[in-house]
Amino acid sequence: MSSTAARVHETDRLGFGGTLARWTRRAIAGAVLMGLLLVGGTAARVWQVARIDDPTKADAIVVLGAAQYSGTPSSVFEARLEQAVKLFNRGVAPSVVTVGGKQEGDVYTEAASGRNYLIGRGVPGDRIIAVEEGSDTLRSIEGVSREMGEHGMTSAVLVSDPWHSLRTRTMARDAGLEAWTAPTRQGPAVFTRESQAHGIARETGALIWYQLTHFSADFPYTAGQ
């Protein structure tokens, strides 16, 4: 019996309902496989870009905001700011941009808190631009892009946690900036394998959501801010 005849015979044996069920199962299995490949590939890219440390000279060092408490940066935010201080002292860029708004009830914005911290660490105040807006990564990056454009700046070294690097870089480039990353290598986000795994999972989901919708998806840290 030829293969064509065999398929016709099997279709007749299963009937329409059985054939439909079989193809439905195959479609579901294919969709699950594609989903696993998408998630796995994205996670691998998040991990790969997290390992990149590119201190190529730029117009500005951009520090992504994180929680602050009455003007005192959280441990996550402090780790990012310390990395910015190192890069500034190495002459990577002549200016530092801090970014981030404030939560309800806060006195300070993340950007202002970061600026004050940097001044306390010896970075001249006239070299710091505080972009006091943005409640998530996307809005922060959009605010930074507008502010840098007004100052004639086009390139940025992005400072955040390693796992945040790919999404931040993707959004910055989508916003029209020439951007590369030099993430912090200290702080709660990199302390333990658990925090590293959490960061990769978090950013994998957030990046896939952004690429599908171009909306932001920031999930809270659990590594202690």
Side-chain angles (χ1 to χ4, degrees):
M1 181 182 295
S2 69
S3 60
T4 301
R7 286 196 297 271
V8 171
H9 176 73
E10 186 175 3
T11 298
D12 291 340
R13 178 173 59 81
L14 293 174
F16 176 78
T19 302
L20 178 62
R22 184 181 66 179
W23 282 105
T24 299
R25 288 194 296 270
R26 289 181 178 179
I28 292 172
V32 170
L33 178 60
M34 290 298 292
L36 290 174
L37 289 173
L38 173 63
V39 171
T42 303
R45 282 291 291 155
V46 168
W47 177 83
Q48 182 184 39
V49 174
R51 297 168 62 85
I52 296 173
D53 185 0
D54 187 354
T56 301
K57 290 191 175 182
D59 293 330
I61 299 161
V62 175
V63 189
L64 274 295
Q68 57 81 33
Y69 307 108
S70 299
T72 301
S74 63
S75 54
V76 169
F77 196 11
E78 182 179 7
R80 300 177 186 181
L81 292 165
E82 282 296 321
Q83 172 69 352
V85 171
K86 293 175 184 176
L87 294 171
F88 181 81
N89 289 338
R90 288 167 57 186
V92 170
S95 299
V96 182
V97 178
T98 59
V99 60
K102 61 182 178 179
Q103 302 298 319
E104 185 176 353
D106 285 348
V107 175
Y108 293 87
T109 62
E110 293 171 4
S113 174
R115 183 179 188 277
N116 292 339
Y117 183 94
L118 292 173
I119 291 174
R121 295 287 285 113
V123 180
D126 61 357
R127 295 290 188 176
I128 305 170
I129 300 171
V131 181
E132 298 183 87
E133 62 177 281
S135 57
D136 56 42
T137 302
L138 181 58
R139 291 183 180 88
S140 294
I141 288 294
E142 290 173 344
V144 166
S145 179
R146 287 192 299 271
E147 189 71 21
M148 287 183 63
E150 292 175 4
H151 286 80
M153 300 176 180
T154 60
S155 60
V157 177
L158 305 172
V159 176
S160 188
D161 307 320
W163 328 113
H164 197 202
S165 292
L166 178 57
R167 183 160 62 102
T168 304
R169 189 183 74 179
T170 300
M171 289 177 172
R173 290 178 177 177
D174 286 350
L177 293 173
E178 298 175 57
W180 43 96
T181 58
T184 181
R185 301 295 174 187
Q186 61 188 46
V190 296
F191 274 164
T192 66
R193 290 191 181 277
E194 181 183 358
S195 62
Q196 293 172 22
H198 174 265
I200 292 172
R202 172 186 185 275
E203 286 303 319
T204 297
L207 180 58
I208 290 173
W209 175 258
Y210 171 72
Q211 290 176 324
L212 290 174
T213 68
H214 276 257
F215 292 126
S216 186
D218 279 317
F219 309 117
Y221 283 95
T222 60
Q225 297 186 10

